């Protein structure tokens, strides 16, 4: 009989609130093993044995808990920019300026805080000309977020505190940052209420490669970022876009210099003007911002198609079903554009938050199920809300005022749910892995934290 102590983690889903967000950064070409120790040491409870007891939680099942404890992260970033610039910079800051007591998840959250502040500034000036210094701050915030995002995984390995929860927390923060990045993109390009279709396209573009990368990882169990990818080159280009608009003005993106140059080099280029109907109503004038978004959209679709072919060929056509959440989300938002465009026009931020909230939910669920080897449910209940909005918009008796109230309430509902889910998932993972989310120094006591009866006695 084993001499190792038993750990009982009995969770009642109705007693806890919680959820998650994550992505783990690794050194170029190396995998990052995940340990369960919260303070850099490995206890007997960290072994995946039959002595570990978890009665199942609201989101993570008993079998999922065992898979979570056995999880080993695998991935690499093939970006040359990451290998020669971003990774060495992050490693230098971690080695020389980062306290060993600072939790990796805290580093991730600090980075996201910069983007939250930047997004708040842009939101404050939404509808007016965003000042140059706010755009410059947005560019700086992107680079700071990127650097800290690269630092968290290095700090985790430095302190021997890598964990699946850190992986999920990082992916979740990245998915939330997609929303802030979209808001910055709208401001840097100077997209107003008259560019509804283009604003919607810019909202969809960054979600496509992000989701398909997470979808691919859920089957291959390895995160492999291509030689040009969003976390490396994408964020740098996004920052460069904000800086260029800050110093030269957003007016540049509303000129036609790019299309005029292409027309001179390739006279036949005018024959593909019809493609731009995807992102704008009037194609008689192709602006620089139109050209930029179209190129980004084509690149995103190319990456999605490449991953679809690769994964479906290796694991079967059934894998394509799990791409349905993103497809339904995109089609649903396009439906809102055609049926109730005034919602996007009068409430641009609320519309972005609705779309972003559903995107965060599907990404976090996809990653959580991948970490725990649980079955991913491709049907997300939030899409029913989009269906209700579309039905109400088509109903003759439904007033615009009532539909606006429903739209705003829908946004509040989504983010309230996400906050509760985050609290529950984080709590369950802490109980399973015996770690704290933002503390790698204080020992974790599963008996008093996870067992409600023992918690009362203390």
């Amino acid at each position: 009989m084993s001499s190792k102590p038993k750990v009982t983690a009995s969770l009642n889903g109705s007693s806890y609130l919680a959820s998650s967000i994550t992505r783990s950064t690794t050194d170029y070409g190396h995998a990052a093993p995940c340990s369960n120790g919260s303070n850099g040491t490995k206890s007997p409870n960290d072994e995946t044995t039959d002595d570990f007891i978890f009665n199942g939680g609201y989101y993570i099942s008993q079998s999922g808990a065992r898979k979570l404890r056995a999880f080993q992260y695998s991935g690499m970033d093939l970006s040359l920019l990451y290998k020669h610039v971003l990774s060495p910079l992050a490693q230098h800051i971690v080695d020389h300026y980062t306290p060993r007591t600072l939790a990796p998840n805290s580093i991730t959250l600090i980075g996201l805080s910069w983007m939250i502040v930047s997004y708040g500034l842009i939101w404050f000036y939404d509808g007016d000309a965003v000042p140059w210094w706010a755009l410059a701050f947005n560019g700086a915030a992107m680079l700071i977020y990127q650097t800290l995002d690269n630092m968290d995984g290095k700090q985790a390995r430095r302190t021997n505190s890598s964990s699946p929860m850190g992986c999920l927390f990082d992916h979740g923060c990245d998915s939330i940052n997609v929303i802030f990045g979209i808001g910055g993109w709208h401001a840097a390009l100077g997209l107003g209420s008259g560019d509804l279709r283009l604003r919607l396209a810019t909202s969809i573009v960054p979600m496509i490669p992000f989701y398909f990368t997470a979808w691919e990882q859920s089957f291959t169990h390895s995160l492999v970022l291509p030689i040009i990818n969003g976390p490396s080159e994408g964020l740098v280009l996004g920052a460069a876009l904000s800086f260029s608009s800050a110093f030269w003005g957003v007016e540049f993106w509303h000129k036609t210099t790019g299309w005029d140059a292409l027309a001179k080099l390739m006279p036949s280029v005018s024959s593909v003007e019809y493609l731009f109907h995807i992102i704008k109503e009037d194609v008689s004038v192709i602006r620089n911002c139109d050209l930029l978004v179209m190129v980004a959209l084509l690149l995103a679709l190319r990456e999605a198609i490449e991953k679809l072919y690769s994964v479906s060929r290796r694991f079967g056509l059934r894998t394509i079903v799990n791409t349905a959440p993103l497809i339904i989300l995109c089609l649903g938002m396009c439906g809102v554009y055609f049926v109730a465009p005034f919602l996007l026009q009068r409430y641009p931020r609320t519309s972005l938050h609705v779309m972003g909230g559903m995107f965060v939910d599907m990404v976090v669920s996809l990653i959580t199920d991948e970490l725990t080897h649980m079955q991913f449910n491709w049907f997300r209940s939030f899409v029913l809300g989009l269906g209700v909005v579309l039905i109400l918009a088509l109903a003759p008796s439904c007033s615009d005022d009532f539909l606006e109230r429903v739209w705003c309430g829908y946004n509040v509902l989504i983010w309230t749910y996400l906050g509760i889910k985050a609290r529950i998932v984080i709590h369950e993972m802490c109980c399973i892995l015996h770690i704290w989310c933002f503390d790698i120094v204080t020992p974790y006591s599963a008996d008093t934290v996870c067992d409600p009866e023992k918690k009362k006695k203390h």
Side-chain angles (χ1 to χ4, degrees):
M1 186 172 182
S2 174
S3 62
K4 295 177 183 175
K6 288 187 177 182
V7 179
T8 303
S10 179
L11 296 180
N12 184 343
S14 62
S15 304
Y16 300 93
L17 307 173
S19 171
S20 59
I21 308 173
T22 326
R23 169 186 170 278
S24 176
T25 307
T26 62
D27 285 326
Y28 177 83
H30 294 281
C34 293
S35 65
N36 297 329
S38 63
N39 58 358
T41 61
K42 196 170 185 179
S43 68
N45 293 335
D46 293 329
E47 300 295 335
T48 305
T49 69
D50 292 335
D51 293 324
F52 172 72
I53 300 175
F54 178 79
N55 294 333
Y58 191 81
Y59 284 104
I60 302 177
S61 65
Q62 187 174 23
S63 60
R66 292 189 177 278
K67 295 294 185 180
L68 185 69
R69 288 171 65 84
F71 175 79
Q72 291 287 320
Y73 179 83
S74 174
M76 63 178 66
D77 191 334
L78 301 177
S79 167
L80 297 179
L81 177 64
Y82 176 81
K83 177 182 178 181
H84 298 291
V85 179
L86 303 179
S87 180
L89 173 63
Q91 190 68 62
H92 178 79
I93 297 175
V94 167
D95 293 341
H96 296 89
Y97 304 106
T98 307
R100 284 185 173 271
T101 56
L102 184 61
N105 288 343
S106 297
I107 295 177
T108 308
L109 193 60
I110 292 171
L112 187 65
S113 299
W114 281 84
M115 291 300 298
I116 292 174
V117 173
S118 174
Y119 182 74
L121 287 173
I122 292 174
W123 192 359
F124 179 78
Y125 290 101
D126 191 35
D128 301 317
V130 178
W132 70 269
W133 56 266
L135 293 173
F137 183 83
N138 181 66
M142 279 188 175
L143 296 180
I144 292 173
Y145 174 81
Q146 182 186 57
T147 302
L148 292 171
D149 193 37
N150 290 332
M151 287 170 54
D152 57 10
K154 300 180 187 302
Q155 174 75 346
R157 288 186 292 281
R158 178 194 185 202
T159 58
N160 191 30
S161 58
S162 300
S163 72
M165 185 173 66
C167 179
L168 179 62
F169 191 86
D170 190 84
H171 275 295
C173 285
D174 285 344
S175 63
I176 293 177
N177 188 54
V178 168
I179 302 172
F180 304 145
I182 292 170
W185 198 356
H186 289 169
L189 293 177
L191 302 182
S193 58
D195 295 301
L196 288 186
R197 193 178 295 188
L198 193 60
R199 288 175 71 104
L200 182 58
T202 56
S203 300
I204 293 175
V205 164
M207 295 182 180
I208 294 175
F210 192 110
Y211 185 84
F212 275 90
T213 297
W215 171 75
E216 179 186 47
Q217 182 185 357
S218 68
F219 292 101
T220 63
H221 303 295
S222 180
L223 176 63
V224 180
L225 298 175
I227 194 169
I228 298 177
N229 59 72
S232 297
E233 288 78 10
L235 284 176
V236 171
L237 290 175
L241 176 63
S242 292
F243 286 133
S244 63
S245 296
F247 294 108
W248 290 293
V250 299
E251 294 80 11
F252 168 78
W253 301 106
H254 293 262
K255 297 179 180 179
T256 60
T257 51
W259 186 256
D260 294 340
L262 284 176
K264 291 179 180 179
L265 293 174
M266 298 178 292
S268 60
V269 74
S270 58
S271 61
V272 298
E273 284 182 352
Y274 67 92
L275 286 176
F276 285 84
H277 278 296
I278 300 174
I279 61 174
K280 62 179 304 185
E281 294 86 350
D282 181 16
V283 298
S284 60
V285 178
I286 307 299
R287 302 166 297 177
N288 293 335
C289 58
D290 303 325
L291 192 59
L292 178 66
V293 174
M294 176 56 73
V295 171
L297 178 60
L298 293 177
L299 290 175
L301 291 175
R302 183 207 62 82
E303 182 174 346
I305 294 172
E306 180 181 332
K307 292 184 182 301
L308 272 173
Y309 175 76
S310 175
V311 173
S312 61
R313 186 178 182 184
R314 288 180 59 187
F315 302 98
L317 293 176
R318 290 181 299 175
T319 58
I320 299 178
V321 174
N322 287 355
T323 65
L326 182 66
I327 296 173
I328 294 173
L329 173 60
C330 294
L331 292 177
M333 290 303 297
C334 290
V336 172
Y337 165 78
F338 286 108
V339 176
F342 64 91
L343 292 177
L344 305 181
Q345 189 170 27
R346 299 177 191 175
Y347 300 94
R349 292 294 161 180
T350 300
S351 301
L352 176 58
H353 298 163
V354 167
M355 188 176 185
M358 288 189 284
F359 175 73
V360 171
D361 173 59
M362 64 179 69
V363 168
V364 169
S365 297
L366 190 63
I367 297 299
T368 302
D369 292 340
E370 192 263 326
L371 295 175
T372 57
H373 287 220
M374 295 193 300
Q375 182 66 38
F376 174 68
N377 182 10
W378 63 268
F379 180 77
R380 316 308 302 168
S381 57
F382 279 137
V383 302
L384 295 176
L386 275 180
V388 171
V389 170
L390 292 174
I391 292 173
L392 289 175
L394 292 172
S397 59
C398 181
S399 65
D400 290 355
D401 181 66
F402 177 75
L403 195 58
E404 290 172 1
R405 292 175 184 271
V406 172
W407 192 239
C408 293
Y410 185 37
N411 176 52
V412 173
L413 177 64
I414 290 173
W415 285 98
T416 301
Y417 165 80
L418 286 177
I420 295 173
K421 180 178 179 179
R423 178 67 179 88
I424 296 174
V425 173
I426 288 176
H427 181 86
E428 291 182 359
M429 284 196 171
C430 285
C431 288
I432 296 168
L433 302 173
H434 308 160
I435 61 176
W436 300 108
C437 185
F438 300 108
D439 186 355
I440 58 174
V441 177
T442 306
Y444 188 89
S445 175
D447 288 340
T448 58
V449 176
C450 298
D451 194 320
E453 296 301 325
K454 292 185 178 181
K455 190 174 182 179
K456 291 179 182 177
K457 295 179 182 179
H458 284 71

